[in-house]
Amino acid sequence: FLYFIGMATADNMMNRAGEAFRSNDFTTAEALYSAVIGMQPNNAKAFSNRSAVRMKLGEFASALKDAESCTRVDPGFAKGWGRHGAALQAMKHYDAARNAYQKALQLEPTNGSYKEALDELSKLVADGKGIATDDGREEYYFRRSVDSGVAAMKEGRYDEACRLFTKAMNQTSAAKAELHILLANRSAAHLKANRTLEAMDDAREAIQICPSYARGHCRLAAAALERQDMQTARSAIDRALEVDPDASVARELSKNISLRETERARAAENEASAAQSTRENVAKAVASSTKLDDAGPVSRETASTAGPPPGSRHTVSYAYCRVCSEYGHTARDCPLRKK
């Protein structure tokens, strides 16, 4: 009894899901088909229909999984193979999609839509379009990551560019031949994001893989220049020009490094000149002080004939008293002596 209630409920949900699909309410349709699959895991039609819903939602990978589940449950269900082919075609896996449509057409030879899709896919594969093999599939995703990374760089999204270049590098078989290029690209992204140490590390790894890669040496020079590491910058750019004398990027960077070296040399020269001037001024001041000390105090005899010093309160008499060391009277007339 409970089994028949479950069947009736599943059928009801299938009908409601179909109505939602026809009304373009794909989210509701997906939820209802998922509920049916939860109740009946071997319902090939539910898997097939949910695959169609997910295609409408643009979830091609999920649609492919549903189609695979459908054909696994019922290998003789032509529509399941049609769903399989549609999902693969949307993902540009044209060769695999063609194989799926061939199976669908074998099971349902009168279906014109399968025949049209098969003809279209055969032409695409013959023209070398899309992803025809598993190796080609990996190459496609690798190239898409690289192109997206380059686009992110142009748009100023440097962190996203680093992520995409890293993703491309992780696709080892496809990335192996271009790993040094990817490292140089990520070095440039790190530098734009002000991560100079990471930029230098990537550049060094790139030129370790391919020592004759001029752009890798340029990346190292640019990062070193930003860190004021002039020795590394000069060494790297000289190496870049050595392996590729016609590299315009290297020549331009070499000019910038030379300009920075000239500025630093001039600044060092000015600093040394200022330090020398300071030392000379100090030496002159010390010498002048020494001369004053060597002159010694004025003797009383000299003072008695030379007159009072400037500012003295005695302005009439130039006599000097040896008793009180004052001007204006002699020792005989000194008030202290009299007192």
Side-chain angles (χ1 to χ4, degrees):
F1 178 73
L2 292 175
Y3 172 77
F4 287 108
I5 290 178
M7 287 293 292
T9 304
D11 289 342
N12 180 265
M13 286 184 177
M14 288 287 287
N15 292 332
R16 288 168 55 196
E19 292 173 2
F21 182 84
R22 288 187 290 274
S23 300
N24 295 327
D25 186 359
F26 303 122
T27 303
T28 299
E30 182 185 28
L32 289 168
Y33 284 130
S34 297
V36 173
I37 291 169
M39 297 167 62
Q40 300 176 349
N42 293 325
N43 190 326
K45 185 177 179 180
F47 277 117
S48 174
N49 289 357
R50 192 172 69 173
S51 176
V53 171
R54 287 177 169 174
M55 285 290 292
K56 290 291 187 180
L57 292 171
E59 299 173 1
F60 304 136
S62 296
L64 177 60
K65 288 182 179 179
D66 279 346
E68 290 171 344
S69 297
C70 174
T71 54
R72 184 174 60 253
V73 171
D74 185 359
F77 187 32
K79 186 172 286 189
W81 289 108
R83 304 292 190 207
H84 202 151
L88 287 167
Q89 184 175 3
M91 297 170 72
K92 301 186 185 301
H93 303 163
Y94 298 146
D95 194 25
R98 182 179 60 173
N99 294 335
Y101 274 117
Q102 283 176 340
K103 292 179 180 178
L105 193 60
Q106 288 172 0
L107 293 168
E108 196 175 326
T110 59
N111 191 312
S113 62
Y114 296 160
K115 181 67 169 63
E116 290 177 6
L118 187 59
D119 291 342
E120 180 184 355
L121 288 165
S122 296
K123 186 176 185 304
L124 288 170
V125 172
D127 292 342
K129 300 292 180 65
I131 306 167
T133 63
D134 289 340
D135 290 339
R137 182 181 308 179
E138 187 171 285
E139 173 65 25
Y140 169 78
Y141 285 117
F142 165 74
R143 189 58 53 195
R144 189 170 70 174
S145 295
V146 173
D147 292 343
S148 298
V150 172
M153 280 287 290
K154 291 179 180 178
E155 295 168 5
R157 297 182 291 115
Y158 305 123
D159 290 336
E160 178 66 6
C162 285
R163 187 190 71 80
L164 289 164
F165 289 138
T166 302
K167 180 180 178 181
M169 282 187 277
N170 290 335
Q171 293 167 334
T172 52
S173 59
K176 187 175 181 180
E178 299 183 32
L179 185 57
H180 60 293
I181 299 174
L182 292 171
L183 284 164
N185 288 351
R186 193 172 69 176
S187 173
H190 277 312
L191 184 58
K192 288 290 188 180
N194 296 318
R195 292 188 290 268
T196 53
L197 282 176
E198 290 86 344
M200 291 181 72
D201 288 342
D202 276 352
R204 285 193 173 104
E205 190 173 350
I207 58 182
Q208 185 177 3
I209 294 170
C210 183
S212 61
Y213 184 44
R215 189 172 291 273
H217 293 286
C218 288
R219 299 298 189 209
L220 178 58
L225 181 61
E226 192 67 23
R227 292 186 61 80
Q228 301 294 323
D229 184 353
M230 304 308 298
Q231 183 176 357
T232 300
R234 172 51 63 189
S235 175
I237 205 62
D238 287 347
R239 178 59 179 154
L241 289 170
E242 181 182 337
V243 298
D244 187 1
D246 297 327
S248 58
V249 174
R251 290 200 303 270
E252 187 64 28
L253 193 53
S254 180
K255 291 179 183 178
N256 292 338
I257 292 172
S258 296
L259 180 61
R260 190 75 62 84
E261 287 173 335
T262 301
E263 291 174 351
R264 291 190 69 177
R266 188 175 300 149
E269 184 179 341
N270 291 339
E271 185 177 348
S273 177
Q276 179 63 26
S277 177
T278 300
R279 287 194 294 270
E280 290 175 355
N281 291 337
V282 170
K284 288 179 181 178
V286 170
S288 177
S289 175
T290 303
K291 287 181 180 179
L292 290 174
D293 291 342
D294 291 343
V298 179
S299 66
R300 292 178 177 179
E301 290 77 6
T302 303
S304 64
T305 59
S312 172
R313 64 177 178 271
H314 301 291
T315 58
V316 178
S317 175
Y318 294 156
Y320 178 75
C321 176
R322 293 185 177 85
V323 177
C324 65
S325 299
E326 290 285 348
Y327 291 94
H329 58 267
T330 63
R332 181 184 301 175
D333 299 326
C334 180
L336 291 177
R337 187 174 182 183
K338 289 181 179 181
K339 188 175 180 179

